[in-house]
Structure formats: C-alpha cells, structure tokens
Amino acid sequence: MSQLVTIFGGSGFVGRYIARRMAKEGWRVRVAVRNVNEAMFVRPYGVVGQVEPVFCNIRDDASVAAVTDGADAVVNCVGVLDEVGKNTFSAVQAEGAARMARIAAAHGVSRMVHISAIGADAEAASAYSKTKAAGEAGVLAHMPDAMILRPSIIFGPEDQFFNRFAGMSRMGPVLPVIGADTRFQPVYVDDVAAAAVKGVLGQAEGGVYELGGPDVHSFRELMQLMLGVIRRRRLIVNTPFWMARLMASGFGIVRAVSLGLIKGPVTKDQVINLAVDNIVAEDARSFDALGMRPTAMEAVLPDYLWRFRPSGQYDAIKESAKNLKT
C-alpha cells in the first residue's frame, strides 16, 4: 500500500463510497473531514491503518496542505446545498475547491478528481450553480488535467432525496413537490464512486463528465416511482414556483430571526434550481466514455426504501400471506 489518496469530504454521501473502493484497490486512504469522531465508521473499509479520518478545514491553507502532503491523488467531494455560517457557497464550492487544487499542484499531486454537479454555469441564476462553475474553473486553473464529474441527483441508501420524500409520505395523504415537471436523471452513488476511482487510477482522461442514470423522469414521476416501491398511495400536489418563492422567503426570515436555529424545508436558491432540468447534455461525455453502464433505480430503491412501507420488513410477508388459500 504505497500509494495514498486524500479524499476531502470522504465520510459524506459520495465520499464514503469512493473511500471504500480505493481501499479495495489497495491504496491508503486519508479521509479529510471537519469532525473526525463522526467519521470513524470509515476505518473498517480497509485493513488496520489503511483508511484513516483526519481533521481538515478547507477554508484554511495550512489545514489543506497538512492533509495533502504525501498524497499521490486527491478527490474533492465537499459541497453544500444550503449556506450555514461560514460555510457559504463561495467559501466551500468555489474558494475551497480552488484551494485544494492549488495546494495539490504545489505538493506535486499527480491526479485530482472533483465532484461538481450538472447545471454548473457561471451565468446560472442560482448561487449554488454559479459557485459550482467557479469551483470547476479554480480546479482547472491549477490542475488542468483534473477529472470533473457532474452528477445529476444522486440516489443510494444514505440519500437525502428519496429517503426524505418517503419519510414525508408517512405524514398524510398529500405529498407536496416544487417543480413537478422538472426533469431529473438520477444516478446511483456507487456508479459515481466507480467513475471517480477511474480518474484516480488514471484509467480515464481528465476533463468534464456528466453522469446520469439510464432513465430521465419528471419530479412527479420520480415520486410516483418511490410511492410504488414503498407501497403507499398519496396525492402528489405541485407547488407553483411563485408560491414556493414566497414560502422560501418567509422561511428565510424565520431562520434569520432565530439565528439559524429554525430552518425551513426549502431555500430561495433551491427553488431556483428546481426550475431547471437536471439531465445530461446531449454532447457531454458520460458513462459510455468511461466504459460503464449506469445502474437503474428499480434495481436499488427497494433495497433501502422498504423501511418506509406500511409494515416495513414484514410487508412482503403480509402480501405473501394474502395469497395463501384457506
């Protein structure tokens, strides 16, 4: 195990899958996180001492340099969907990404993989997408051969998409959504991890790849698929964008007054993003350029959404019992 990879945000949703795969490849894995105690679960991904969580503040040069020193490759999985305190979109997704690349280049790191997002655009209306684009530019300015991955919405056992709405479906007969007609191309988290590993190992060229699953669905269709998996019937109600913006503004005021203690379910920036399709561009390089076939949602969702069924793990037993002849 002579080679070392530093994974920034390596205990997060995507990062943990990359860490596990890199350990299986025989690399030493340094998992750079804000809270080391909460990242201890990554250590069993490899043999004793192979995968180690270490503290890092990506807003600080010295902290980033300390965890980059000696690394053969770095992976950036850090991103935020909502600004909290000093962890703003600019500080994390733009300045943080550029800092990692600049310091990696200074330390002679040979490869870098950067996780961005479909929709990254310097001219975008949302701060999230603008700073994603700024982060990409900052990475390429210092590591021009870096691999940049732009996934659509990512699903998997720890996701905050299907799990969130499946949980909401327990609360009543109505399931509200914003942007019911907006299209998404959900991609399986381990497929994103596998693509990142190809970049670390030098099995794929640098540049931008947009990653989406095999199917494109509207938000409404995704909710119908999810409800089918958890075997619940709910009325999916679309919230108009003008109403969603008003709601988000109200939630923002409450959050400011409570000094961040009370958070709303959606922010103004997220409403802006929900108005834009999140699918792979026709001319973009994707899984086919990596020699991969993405995993379908139907093959994965039942494995972790079963707990939201009316009878949970016993739901299948109850269905089977109905078929028994008396």
Side-chain angles (χ1 to χ4, degrees), residues 4-48:
L4 170 66
V5 59
T6 296
I7 306 176
F8 293 92
S11 65
F13 179 33
V14 178
R16 67 185 66 187
Y17 285 83
I18 299 175
R20 185 184 291 115
R21 280 183 169 270
M22 289 307 304
K24 288 182 178 179
E25 291 291 339
W27 283 50
R28 288 182 294 132
V29 183
R30 184 182 288 161
V31 177
V33 295
R34 286 182 297 173
N35 192 319
V36 174
N37 290 333
E38 293 181 0
M40 287 299 179
F41 67 88
V42 303
R43 298 183 72 177
Y45 289 173
V47 298
V48 176

Side-chain angles (χ1 to χ4, degrees), residues 178-184 217-219 241 273-278:
I178 300 170
D181 295 325
T182 301
R183 297 182 299 162
F184 296 89
H217 291 285
S218 69
F219 199 165
F241 284 111
N273 275 324
L274 286 169
V276 182
D277 286 345
N278 196 270

Side-chain angles (χ1 to χ4, degrees), residues 42-189:
V42 303
R43 298 183 72 177
Y45 289 173
V47 298
V48 176
Q50 184 181 4
V51 182
E52 287 294 335
V54 295
F55 171 77
C56 178
N57 177 2
I58 65 168
R59 301 192 308 272
D60 179 72
D61 275 30
S63 184
V64 174
V67 300
T68 303
D69 186 44
D72 298 284
V74 297
V75 181
N76 177 28
C77 300
V78 181
V80 291
L81 294 174
D82 186 16
E83 296 179 311
V84 179
K86 294 182 180 180
N87 291 318
T88 63
F89 289 134
S90 293
V92 174
Q93 297 183 164
E95 298 166 16
R99 178 176 292 108
M100 293 175 204
R102 170 170 54 82
I103 292 175
H107 281 71
V109 175
S110 59
R111 297 191 184 100
M112 179 172 184
V113 177
H114 173 65
I115 308 297
S116 184
I118 285 181
D121 184 353
E123 304 300 322
S126 78
Y128 174 85
S129 297
K130 282 183 179 179
T131 53
K132 279 293 188 182
E136 292 182 6
V139 167
L140 293 176
H142 300 286
M143 299 283 286
D145 294 326
M147 169 189 265
I148 293 177
L149 301 179
R150 294 178 177 173
S152 182
I153 192 164
I154 303 175
F155 69 92
E158 304 87 2
D159 72 46
Q160 294 299 311
F161 183 70
F162 286 114
N163 279 304
R164 178 183 180 184
F165 285 99
M168 289 172 58
S169 71
R170 291 170 164 174
M171 301 177 184
V174 175
L175 185 63
V177 298
I178 300 170
D181 295 325
T182 301
R183 297 182 299 162
F184 296 89
Q185 195 169 349
V187 58
Y188 181 40
V189 60

Side-chain angles (χ1 to χ4, degrees), residues 155 214-215 217 225 229 295-303:
F155 69 92
D215 302 306
H217 291 285
L225 175 62
V229 171
T295 305
M297 289 180 288
E298 291 84 351
V300 179
L301 294 183
D303 290 342

